[in-house]
Amino acid sequence: MDSQTSQPSPASPSPHTFQVDLRGLVDLLSHHLYSSPKVYLRELLQNAVDAITARRAEQPDAPATVRLHAEGGTLRVEDSGVGLTESDVHSLLATIGRSSKRNDGLESARSEFLGQFGIGLLACFVVAERIRVVSLSARTPDAAPVEWTAADDGSYTVRTLPREARTEPGTTVHLVARAGAGEWLSPERVRSLARDFGALLPYDVRVGDEAVADLPAPWDRPHPSPSARRVALARHCRELFGFTPLDSIDLDVPLAGVRGVAYVLPTAVSPAQRASHRVHLKGMLLTERAEQLLPDWAFFVRCVLDTDSLRPTASRESLYEDETLAAVREALGERIRSWLTGLAAGDPERLAAFLSVHHLGVKSLARHDAEMLRTMLPWLPFETTDGRLSLEEFAQRHPLVHFTRTVEEYRQVAPIASAQGVGVVNGGYTYDSELIEALPAVRPGTAVSELDADTVTAHLDTVDPAEELALSGFLAAARARLDPLNCDVVLRAFHPLSVPALHLDDRAARHEQARAEAEEQADDLWAGILGSLRGSAPRARLVLNHLNPLIRRIGSLGDPDLIGTATESLYGQALLMSQRPLRPADSALLNRAFIGLLEWATHTDPGTDGRR
């Protein structure tokens, strides 16, 4: 016989099953999937509520009760739900991730359920060392009660019980606390967690004799008047979030299955601060830290709502980012936008109180929403040379709206521009320059122009040519001293008289100055590269006020060194007045000018009585 034909054919590989280390899985759940051991109670409530929902899908008049009893490190949870048969127990409780909602034609009702029975019970091992389940099926009336007992080492037993062990359909779960977790099964903690998770559940849930659900929801309760409703919602906000709201906004989006309320914060918050909202899924608290529920601009509210359309993540402690959530976020944002529009149209006092605290959020919205900007023009406050005004009021006074892009630029020019009758808006705060530039689009006929050094200088009065010619020596010495700082010196006449000098520059000048400084400190290679980037941007300028008495006295000096020291002192004083951050070179100049003035003031000539 041929040797090749005598060899046995390769055997088919035998199938194997994964071996699950339950202790390791519990550690994974407690340290990575769930944020806190407290979720064990939510999982128990979810299982009980789902079991009742499943039974009522077939028996609409079936009882709907959940009872929790905590005592001595143990917890008993009883429900009147659909119950389990022995085969259900083997199929569901011994297989992680299997859902009881997949069986017996209930797939069509799956949207009504909250969780997965197997995973829900597994989560209980986070706080329990032993779980015992006793259940009687409502679908199979002649089935015997069944008991499933499991330990946290992964072992379990299943047995049927005498009929008298349980006479009514439903399930009872018994937990025995693991070492160090007894506090989680204490009566006080169970009562607190049940209230938190189950306050909006539609069924009769009790801890002992105390009802957990508080229905109807606060936003659905009837009140004798709108003011009484506002008071009641304010009380609910204090209990839930710990603050008294400026106002409350109904969040009713029937198409998305969302009902709730948004509470307006009474104090300003940073736009970068992530808002945390409370979300209930079919009455069960899903999370109190939902961050992606509202548009980013709506950072001034905190929400609590109930939904039946949003998808939870695997841990059921946050929301799954999908098209449904995006649509709900847009719809809720539209509801808040409508509330703002309604205040502008009918309650200006409440709107003014709101904007005094949260104008930043409205500005964030208005920069992307032309209609909202048009609506809020009479209300949004801006810092201007005419005081704190809305853009509408400022534009009525100044057809040409000048603005600066930084706070420093505004501080440089505001006193001078105001004295010259030039209106300027400070666009240096968050979102302001974007809104100012959008003004012509929502207010036809309004012109907007960024204020630069040339514009400011053009509004200052020129000095008589003969007088400026007489001061040419002084101006030449002053320019020579400031030339290394990339700063020109010009002479103008302007008000107020108390300002001796004005330092003017713009962003282009500052960029060129920074490039020049970097070029000086760079090696030959980088100096060549930076030199090739040299621009034609105008240099900064020190504008001397010819009407100021001090400038007139300094202009009469004949000593070039003394003129230079005085010019440096004026330059430093103008920088300080503009409240700009000082560069190292500026700080060194201020120190040098101060010491120079002291030396000049204390200098004595030989043969005198000590006076200059």
Side-chain angles (χ1 to χ4, degrees), residues 226-227 230 245-250 264 339-340 342-344 346-358 379:
S227 61
R230 281 198 295 270
L246 281 178
D247 207 345
S248 57
I249 308 168
D250 284 321
V264 181
W339 170 78
L340 284 170
L343 285 187
D347 201 339
E349 291 185 2
R350 285 172 66 198
L351 178 63
F354 167 76
L355 290 177
S356 67
V357 179
H358 296 300
W379 309 103

Side-chain angles (χ1 to χ4, degrees), residues 319-521:
L319 297 172
Y320 188 82
E321 184 68 49
D322 58 10
E323 293 181 357
T324 302
L325 179 57
V328 168
R329 182 164 49 235
E330 182 178 349
L332 295 180
E334 182 59 37
R335 184 65 195 87
I336 297 174
R337 183 186 289 107
S338 298
W339 170 78
L340 284 170
T341 304
L343 285 187
D347 201 339
E349 291 185 2
R350 285 172 66 198
L351 178 63
F354 167 76
L355 290 177
S356 67
V357 179
H358 296 300
H359 58 272
L360 204 57
V362 180
K363 287 181 177 180
S364 175
L365 168 61
R367 66 194 176 120
H368 298 303
D369 188 328
E371 188 57 37
M372 179 57 63
L373 177 57
R374 185 178 293 106
T375 300
M376 290 296 153
L377 271 182
W379 309 103
L380 287 175
F382 287 78
E383 183 180 3
T384 78
T385 49
D386 291 356
R388 197 162 182 80
L389 300 175
S390 69
L391 281 182
E392 175 67 29
E393 188 174 357
F394 186 83
Q396 290 175 355
R397 300 183 184 183
H398 304 277
L400 176 58
V401 177
H402 291 288
F403 74 99
T404 63
R405 290 192 182 274
T406 68
V407 175
E408 290 79 13
E409 291 173 355
Y410 178 79
R411 289 170 177 169
Q412 282 179 334
V413 303
I416 309 304
S418 179
Q420 310 306 311
V422 179
V424 183
V425 182
N426 185 356
Y429 296 113
T430 307
Y431 310 133
D432 282 6
S433 60
E434 296 176 70
L435 295 179
I436 297 168
E437 289 182 301
L439 188 57
V442 298
R443 194 179 189 277
T446 303
V448 171
S449 175
E450 183 177 353
L451 190 66
D452 56 19
D454 289 333
T455 303
V456 176
T457 305
H459 281 82
L460 304 180
D461 295 334
T462 57
V463 179
D464 181 84
E467 295 186 37
E468 187 167 2
L469 181 61
L471 295 172
S472 58
F474 160 74
L475 293 175
R479 287 167 181 154
R481 182 58 65 96
L482 295 187
D483 185 68
L485 298 174
N486 291 313
C487 182
D488 291 331
V489 177
V490 296
L491 188 66
R492 292 290 187 273
F494 56 87
H495 293 274
L497 301 180
S498 58
V499 178
L502 176 66
H503 182 269
L504 293 178
D505 66 357
D506 51 29
R507 285 176 299 160
R510 286 195 293 275
H511 291 166
E512 174 62 21
Q513 189 176 55
R515 186 210 57 78
E517 291 176 353
E519 182 181 355
E520 291 179 0
Q521 299 173 7

Side-chain angles (χ1 to χ4, degrees), residues 206 260 590:
R206 295 177 182 270
L590 279 171

